Amino acid sequence: MSVTHDVIVVGGGLVGTAIAYGLQKRGLSTVLLDEGDVAHRASRGNFGLVWVQSKGLGAPHYQRWTRGSAEAWPSLATELAERTGLDTALHQPGGIHICLSEEEFEQRAVYMAQLQREAGNLGMEYRMLNHAETAEMLPGIGRAVVGSSWTPYDGHASPLYLLRALHTAFRDAGGTYRPNAGVSEGTAAPRDFSVQAGGETHRAPRIVLAAGLGNAALAPRFGLEAPVRPQRGQVLVTERTRQLLPMPTTSIRQTDEGSVMIGDSKEEAGYDSLTQTPELMRGMAQRAVLTFPWIAELNIVRAWSALRVMAPDGLPIYDESGRFPGAFTANCHSGVTLAGAHADILAPMIAAGELPPEMAPFSARRFHDVRSAA
Amino acid sequence: MKTYDLAITGAGPAGMAAAVEAASLGLSVLVIDEQPAPGGQVFRAVEAAGADPALAGEFLDAGGALARGFRAARGIDYSPRSTLWHMDLVTGVISVLRDGASEEIQVSRLLLATGAQERPVPIPGWTLPGVMGAGAAQILLKTAGAVPQGPLVLAGQGPLTWLLAVQLLRAGAGPMTLLETGGKGALWDAFRAGGLWTGRRLLTKGVSLVREAKRRGLRIVRGVRDLRAEGEGRVQRVRWAGGEIACDTLLLHEGVIPSTHVSRALGLEHHWDEAQRCWRPALDEWGATSHDLVAVAGDGGGIGGWEAATATGRIAALDAARRLGRLSAEEAARRAAPHRAQLAAALALRPFLDRLYAPAPEVLVPKDDATIVCRCEEITAGQVRQAARLGATGPNQAKAYLRTGMGPCQGRMCGNTVAAIIAAERGISVEEAGALRPRAPFKPLTVGELAALPPEEVG
Amino acid sequence: MFAPRPDIRPATVEVFVEGRPVLVPEGASAAAAVLLAGLPAIRETPVGGAPRLPYCMMGICFDCLAEIDGVANRQACMVTVEPGMRIAAQRGARQARPGTAPEVAA
């Protein structure tokens, strides 16, 4: 038996669900195919930043995309709250990147200046703050903090409430969600796609591959490529604590519940998302304590490692198949930051049937260009 | 870095027996235990409880002997008040927290002897002050000699309810009622499981407890269903289908289940035990797990009671010695034989008990939507059902949706209930719904303890 | 409400539960001291402010979180009493720096 839809979205994480919701609310009947209870699930390991100030050096299109998403977020959050009653805990008070040495501070200053130059007409407001200026914005910083960079665009949200809100809104808008439905088979023809998943066959004239690391194997079947690899990140989470942090930093944020999250590690560790390394956890804890000495008292109640979805150049890949028009792929490691763009910028493009020219720099064809140029 | 042939977590019957056996075979042994003194939960504070007549019998006799043997053995480094919070399965380095400092220790093998926990009993009102586990009241008796005052209700079933009733009545607890939740046909079903002759010693022990409890004035109500605790600010009465009683303290008990938090965090293979309605690590006949460096002994590998625990502890110690080349395979097998016989005898009555005291479906899956299942995050059964309808197929996705299992207990109290609710809602088995996959730290440590920075660098 | 049996287990260690002196047996836990003191709640939950008392007494349930000798959110059932120990209820989420932490609006 085969079920026909307007769109098949493969991947029920933050990326796939945001796109599926964006499509469904625009009137396209969408099926969202997801894996089971234990999948790699980068979404469940997301740190929760809606972050602009470290994104897109040397890639102005990515900087614009990130800024656009951060700007689209408030209306997405409001809409999800109205439709589902769920608060995604979005706060965009600006954000801080902490520097713990003169060297870090100088490098950061160069980085931010370059980012501003590349922003061109879009502009990019930022300030480099010394210790005292940082202390005014963030109470209780340690002596070790040399300074920081600040931008007004940054913020954070709850990845988990976002995922739940997107799932709920997608379902309430009439979308079809299928858990335990990893894609086992698929066939592609121009504007005619068929996949087998969870014992069913789904057909549609459009398909969106948003299966995270699963895209690497899935994409070639649909005339696409997604050369993504896992990059492990670890996060420490403390017990609930009364609100103390008025804004997030790149590696420390306080959630609405009050937990302090400590993160931002990067390791190349293959598909191993189970292992946690005490040395790395210790390094993260040390940086956190040097940044905010009061964090030392807090109990770590949980920690996790999760796998980021990384392209060779660290930038997202958005692409459409030349061979099979109607097949799209979305790959990125910033499912929270980019949720606004995915639901309300990318989804309309897919609904229209093709990606506009300004998306060309995100195509996986860039990796061939690099190779042929080299 | 310190090194040991064998690290054992847990100084209960399994851990103590394993340590003594391993040390006698020349292994260097480290025993890590959260408690200040050996005994585990079953023989908790057995040295300090001394001559408490309320605890006379097996507790003081067998438990006392085990603790004395453990204290007297040479070659054991015993580290009380210590917590294992991480193990690197590639290198065999364990991280242990003691006195506010974390230490890394190299071990050739880790034996988890983490014992059991009481099965959570999520009834309406179970978070009210004055409601606690029956085991908790027993720990208070063992560690502080304390007894509940005022009208006391013991609700549930299992061998511990009778033992506790007797101990508390001996210790002068207030008027006590036992609300037995067992099913009416359970006894006949249990008889069919057999094992009564081989297990006759344990059976006799149980029967004499029931007699003593009745003699000491225990009031018994059988076939109790739809239990709920009620009161303003604390428990004041217990209601059930067709009855109600005022009380100051309500003690709940529906048996015990293996503590699998650490074994699951280590990613070891587990199986669903349908007879005992719990997860247990997959073990071979030596207690070896799916990972080369890790073994499990005692109730943490499946509920069998303290006598089975000492046997599995000794067997696991023999296997550790064999793996380290201190014992030939033949010699290990020869030495294990008497322990295997002891184990078989200790487990003979198990199928009978598992059937007799099988928890009612409502204990595993609360009927009332308003019942709290996650005590830390205060999430109700109804919310879990909603998450299941939204598409959560297991406790890990429910955790992402609802925060069930994200609080300080990390799902020790709610994990199985959440899985059972999802299973019921989606029409799948609990095994299919799966189990939470916890992570290190196995127990909380502070950011400062982890960072271990000298104070002059901070501030 | 729990009562000691001083004839069996002499109560020799003086601790302070919410400032009130209580005598408890050596080796007892801080959670036991709270129950012997008859405190109505050892904590109020950070989620809903509900009162709780210790439930499992064996380090599993984390319902006995209390402030012990000025340190917030300690598992009281895992802490053995010491003479002069100060045990106070944990009310809601902990403070990060008691007394000195500059609070901001949530």
Side-chain angles (χ1 to χ4, degrees):
Chain A
M1 197 195 85
S2 129
V3 195
T4 303
H5 317 268
D6 292 334
V7 198
I8 298 164
V9 177
V10 183
L14 284 169
V15 177
T17 311
I19 295 169
Y21 166 63
L23 293 166
Q24 183 70 39
K25 77 173 175 181
R26 286 177 175 79
L28 281 77
S29 80
T30 304
V31 64
L32 180 58
L33 304 175
D34 200 2
E35 291 194 285
D37 193 51
V38 182
H40 278 299
R41 299 247 179 235
S43 300
R44 290 203 298 236
N46 193 296
F47 191 61
L49 295 177
V50 178
W51 209 245
V52 172
Q53 70 163 295
S54 311
K55 303 283 178 67
L57 188 75
H61 60 288
Y62 180 38
Q63 191 186 153
R64 278 197 300 279
W65 184 247
T66 300
R67 277 276 288 284
S69 190
E71 283 164 17
W73 242 105
S75 64
L76 175 68
T78 307
E79 183 181 295
L80 288 173
E82 282 167 1
R83 288 180 178 227
T84 67
L86 293 168
D87 180 359
T88 49
L90 174 72
H91 303 284
Q92 293 175 299
I96 291 271
H97 178 90
I98 294 283
C99 303
L100 291 181
S101 68
E102 291 293 345
E103 194 189 353
E104 277 181 30
F105 187 77
E106 279 156 27
Q107 283 175 2
R108 190 67 184 176
V110 171
Y111 178 99
M112 295 304 286
Q114 178 72 19
L115 210 56
Q116 189 184 48
R117 273 194 298 281
E118 289 179 5
N121 291 336
L122 180 64
M124 200 200 81
E125 189 187 344
Y126 82 95
R127 281 176 61 201
M128 295 303 296
L129 308 176
N130 63 24
H131 176 92
E133 291 164 333
T134 307
E136 274 177 40
M137 287 204 178
L138 291 176
I141 56 168
R143 278 187 293 127
V145 175
V146 170
S148 65
S149 62
W150 167 88
T151 74
Y153 313 110
D154 299 312
H156 56 147
S158 163
L160 302 179
Y161 290 147
L162 172 62
L163 184 65
R164 185 174 160 210
L166 287 169
H167 271 279
T168 307
F170 172 69
R171 182 196 61 185
D172 292 352
T176 305
Y177 175 66
R178 289 281 185 267
N180 290 327
V183 171
S184 54
E185 295 288 336
T187 59
R191 305 204 187 279
D192 182 11
F193 302 94
S194 166
V195 298
Q196 282 172 23
E200 289 178 319
T201 302
H202 299 275
R203 286 189 70 165
R206 292 183 193 80
I207 187 166
V208 182
L209 305 180
L213 294 166
N215 270 2
L218 215 50
R221 298 198 208 174
F222 299 91
L224 288 158
E225 57 180 322
V228 289
R229 69 170 201 284
Q231 183 192 60
R232 190 164 70 190
Q234 299 196 41
V235 177
L236 312 174
V237 187
T238 75
E239 62 206 346
R240 290 173 187 251
T241 307
R242 289 189 198 169
Q243 286 296 332
L244 203 62
L245 274 183
M247 67 176 75
T249 79
T250 321
S251 58
I252 298 171
R253 75 179 192 97
Q254 189 169 20
T255 68
D256 262 21
E257 290 82 19
S259 299
V260 174
M261 297 181 53
I262 302 163
D264 205 30
S265 71
K266 296 179 177 71
E267 300 162 88
E268 302 297 324
Y271 282 84
D272 178 359
S273 69
L274 195 60
T275 304
Q276 302 158 292
T277 44
E279 310 83 70
L280 208 128
M281 290 165 79
R282 176 156 299 132
M284 290 161 60
Q286 287 176 344
R287 251 193 107 81
V289 170
L290 291 172
T291 306
F292 298 109
W294 50 266
I295 282 184
E297 299 176 355
L298 304 184
N299 284 298
I300 301 166
V301 296
R302 61 200 164 91
W304 72 76
S305 52
L307 301 177
R308 291 188 189 87
V309 179
M310 270 291 165
D313 57 5
L315 306 179
I317 301 170
Y318 302 108
D319 217 343
E320 60 194 326
S321 172
R323 201 167 140 218
F324 304 117
F328 300 87
T329 178
N331 311 268
C332 76
H333 55 80
S334 301
V336 171
T337 298
L338 296 178
H342 292 157
D344 291 325
I345 305 175
L346 181 63
M349 295 171 179
I350 293 168
E354 58 182 0
L355 300 182
E358 69 260 29
M359 296 300 280
F362 288 112
S363 166
R365 285 186 289 275
R366 68 182 186 261
F367 304 115
H368 301 292
D369 297 344
V370 169
R371 272 204 291 277
S372 55
Chain B
M1 200 186 295
K2 282 189 207 156
T3 63
Y4 289 92
D5 292 326
L6 178 66
I8 300 170
T9 67
M16 287 192 288
V20 170
E21 185 79 29
S24 79
L25 294 165
L27 274 64
S28 58
V29 180
L30 170 68
V31 175
I32 305 151
D33 190 52
E34 285 192 298
Q35 298 304 332
Q41 301 307 334
V42 63
F43 299 132
R44 181 85 179 265
V46 63
E47 295 162 321
D52 187 340
L55 295 166
E58 199 170 64
F59 173 76
L60 291 182
D61 301 343
L66 266 171
R68 280 191 299 277
F70 175 69
R71 293 277 196 192
R74 288 172 189 280
I76 300 172
D77 273 0
Y78 168 50
S79 181
R81 294 193 176 96
S82 306
T83 307
L84 174 80
W85 68 267
H86 181 269
M87 178 183 193
D88 186 324
L89 286 172
V90 178
T91 59
V93 173
I94 59 173
S95 303
V96 178
L97 186 68
R98 182 179 181 177
D99 296 334
S102 176
E103 187 184 356
E104 259 103 66
I105 298 164
Q106 175 75 55
V107 304
S108 301
R109 193 163 181 75
L110 175 69
L111 175 64
L112 300 175
T114 49
Q117 67 171 77
E118 286 189 281
R119 182 192 304 281
V121 188
I123 61 166
W126 73 310
T127 54
L128 285 171
V131 182
M132 57 201 307
Q138 199 186 34
I139 288 167
L140 276 158
L141 180 65
K142 290 170 181 173
T143 57
V147 287
Q149 296 298 289
L152 170 64
V153 173
L154 196 53
Q157 56 177 352
L160 180 71
T161 54
W162 295 103
L163 175 61
L164 180 65
V166 165
Q167 290 172 336
L168 290 179
L169 287 165
R170 285 178 189 164
M176 198 187 306
T177 306
L178 172 63
L179 303 178
E180 251 209 331
T181 54
K184 290 222 159 60
L187 187 60
W188 295 110
D189 188 36
F191 277 132
R192 284 200 296 277
L196 298 183
W197 177 249
T198 318
R200 62 193 179 280
R201 189 173 52 80
L202 288 169
L203 194 62
T204 311
K205 198 170 74 181
V207 170
S208 78
L209 279 173
V210 173
R211 284 210 191 104
E212 184 178 347
K214 288 178 180 169
R215 197 173 67 239
R216 289 181 183 272
L218 179 70
R219 187 189 156 209
I220 301 159
V221 181
R222 293 189 196 277
V224 169
R225 283 280 180 270
D226 300 333
L227 202 62
R228 54 198 307 136
E230 295 178 349
E232 291 302 313
R234 67 167 292 119
V235 65
Q236 290 163 324
R237 64 197 162 270
V238 183
R239 276 187 211 275
W240 64 96
E244 122 169 50
I245 188 171
C247 71
D248 284 351
T249 304
L250 169 62
L251 304 177
L252 298 170
H253 186 75
E254 289 283 349
V256 296
I257 58 175
S259 285
T260 55
H261 192 82
V262 177
S263 55
R264 277 180 295 123
L266 289 173
L268 305 178
E269 197 184 322
H270 285 68
H271 295 312
W272 177 253
D273 182 333
E274 186 56 32
Q276 297 187 346
R277 270 77 162 180
C278 61
W279 291 94
R280 57 200 285 177
L283 303 177
D284 73 6
E285 58 172 3
W286 296 94
T289 68
S290 57
H291 194 283
D292 272 354
L293 296 182
V294 186
V296 175
D299 274 359
I303 302 305
W306 73 266
E307 287 173 275
T310 57
T312 55
R314 291 189 181 105
I315 292 168
L318 292 169
D319 191 44
R322 182 193 63 80
R323 285 166 185 261
L324 293 169
R326 313 288 173 82
L327 217 53
S328 69
E330 297 73 29
E331 183 60 13
R334 195 186 64 77
R335 290 188 188 217
H339 306 314
R340 293 197 192 287
Q342 185 201 341
L343 179 62
L347 293 179
L349 201 59
R350 219 57 237 180
F352 172 82
L353 293 174
D354 289 344
R355 287 197 189 191
L356 182 60
Y357 296 127
E362 70 194 45
V363 170
L364 304 172
V365 180
K367 286 194 271 190
D368 188 339
D369 270 348
T371 306
I372 286 177
V373 297
C374 171
R375 298 174 64 100
C376 297
E377 295 292 324
E378 298 179 59
I379 307 296
T380 63
Q383 286 172 284
V384 177
R385 285 193 184 97
Q386 269 182 14
R389 287 197 289 271
L390 183 58
T393 56
N396 293 293
Q397 189 71 354
K399 177 177 168 182
Y401 282 148
L402 299 173
R403 299 183 60 86
T404 42
M406 267 192 201
C409 101
Q410 286 292 287
R412 287 170 170 89
M413 295 298 285
C414 70
N416 284 353
T417 308
V418 170
I421 292 172
I422 292 171
E425 194 66 23
R426 299 185 69 87
I428 56 177
S429 67
V430 180
E431 182 163 28
E432 209 182 324
L436 279 174
R437 197 175 69 170
R439 302 291 181 88
F442 309 144
K443 269 296 191 72
L445 79 166
T446 67
V447 182
E449 285 164 347
L450 176 58
L453 284 169
E456 60 273 16
E457 280 188 35
V458 190
Chain C
M1 182 79 183
F2 281 75
R5 290 149 67 226
D7 48 325
I8 305 291
R9 296 290 293 276
T12 54
V13 182
E14 188 183 57
V15 299
F16 298 90
V17 176
E18 293 278 304
R20 207 156 53 81
V22 183
L23 282 169
V24 295
E26 202 178 320
S29 65
V34 166
L35 290 164
L36 288 168
L39 216 61
I42 195 167
R43 71 174 186 127
E44 287 162 9
T45 60
V47 180
R52 297 280 170 88
L53 277 177
Y55 181 84
C56 80
M57 292 298 287
M58 55 177 285
I60 300 289
C61 76
F62 288 75
D63 251 326
C64 64
L65 295 178
E67 191 180 301
I68 299 175
D69 287 339
V71 180
N73 270 352
R74 293 191 72 188
Q75 266 188 301
C77 75
M78 305 299 283
V79 177
T80 308
V81 291
E82 304 275 356
M85 181 178 274
R86 290 168 293 116
I87 306 161
Q90 181 71 47
R91 298 189 195 285
R94 67 173 294 163
Q95 298 262 11
R97 289 187 301 171
T100 60
E103 292 233 354
V104 293

